[in-house]
Amino acid sequence: MVKIKLCGMFRDCDIDFVNEAKPDYIGFIVMFPKSHRNIDLETALRLKKRLSPEIKSVAVSVDAPVEALAEFAETGAAELLQLHGSEDAAYIARLRELTDAPIIKAVRVGSFADIEAAQALDADFLLLDSGTGSGKAFDHSLIDRERITKPFFLAGGLTPENVRAAALEFKPYAVDMSSGIETDRLKDREKMLAAVRAVRE
């Protein structure tokens, strides 16, 4: 079954909504002040305590200082770490020295070469997206299931209305939604419940 990640939680009520919806993963945007969803380590730890234990949290960062990102895993604020910037093999190698947390490497997909380059890195998962939280879909014809060797999260432009079709067509490891489950830039309980229901049912 395709897994579900709902990203960009930053309020207590967001956690209450995900506890009700029961996705497999949630994302915290960390060390990225450009995002209105950005939170610090203290907030992540507090929200994590509120989160149902069966839901795993992911610290999502963009070219963050590697030691600071590792701290999110080592303190228990996040079980996985997601890299959304230009992090290279050396960055990932250093992260591996600091933590055993699984690593998701996001790919801004403009061509299949972008996916191939990311596959060469020592990440556990890829996340295929159109950009850094753009909320828009990339060219899905570039998803070549025969040549993608790593499990991948599919992101970008997914909503409760189209996520089921995308999951069925591309069979990703997981689907990932953020702006598609919001109203006026805030998480929407009904959309979150509908998104999870669309994939699970």
Side-chain angles (χ1 to χ4, degrees):
M1 182 182 288
V2 174
K3 296 188 182 297
I4 303 162
K5 175 168 169 266
L6 303 181
C7 201
M9 308 302 151
F10 66 98
R11 303 176 298 165
D12 286 5
C13 64
D14 295 341
I15 303 301
D16 296 337
F17 298 159
V18 293
N19 287 341
E20 187 178 355
K22 294 183 170 52
D24 302 282
Y25 302 94
I26 63 157
F28 295 137
I29 311 300
V30 303
M31 293 179 288
F32 190 62
K34 288 183 185 175
S35 173
H36 73 282
R37 309 178 186 106
N38 185 63
I39 61 173
D40 58 18
L41 178 59
E42 183 181 353
T43 304
L45 285 166
R46 179 172 58 76
L47 294 178
K48 175 66 173 172
K49 282 182 186 164
R50 196 179 184 95
L51 183 66
S52 293
E54 69 270 18
I55 303 171
K56 292 182 177 175
S57 59
V58 183
V60 180
S61 65
V62 181
D63 297 317
V66 66
E67 289 82 6
L69 179 58
E71 193 175 0
F72 279 83
E74 295 308 287
T75 57
E79 284 101 341
L80 295 89
L81 302 174
Q82 182 173 317
L83 313 178
H84 240 289
S86 57
E87 302 90 356
D88 58 10
Y91 183 103
I92 293 173
R94 177 63 181 144
L95 197 54
R96 294 282 192 205
E97 291 173 2
L98 296 169
T99 177
D100 295 328
I103 296 169
I104 305 168
K105 182 66 181 91
V107 187
R108 184 178 296 188
V109 182
S111 70
F112 191 78
D114 298 322
I115 300 174
E116 284 184 311
Q119 283 196 148
L121 297 172
D122 180 28
D124 301 283
F125 303 92
L126 301 181
L127 182 140
L128 308 184
D129 200 355
S130 58
T132 308
S134 70
K136 298 189 173 104
F138 62 93
D139 181 358
H140 286 168
S141 71
L142 297 170
I143 302 174
D144 185 340
R145 292 300 280 110
E146 300 297 315
R147 294 163 66 200
I148 299 178
T149 56
K150 291 191 185 224
F152 68 93
F153 289 68
L154 180 62
L158 296 178
T159 67
E161 292 73 35
N162 65 20
V163 68
R164 179 177 176 81
L168 287 170
E169 182 174 359
F170 301 110
K171 299 179 176 55
Y173 169 78
V175 288
D176 191 340
M177 289 165 276
S178 185
S179 56
I181 49 168
E182 291 181 348
T183 299
D184 298 328
R185 301 175 79 208
L186 295 174
K187 291 294 177 281
D188 183 312
R189 173 182 173 272
E190 296 305 322
K191 289 181 181 179
M192 293 164 78
L193 292 170
V196 172
R197 197 161 52 237
V199 177
R200 294 260 168 82
E201 294 178 2

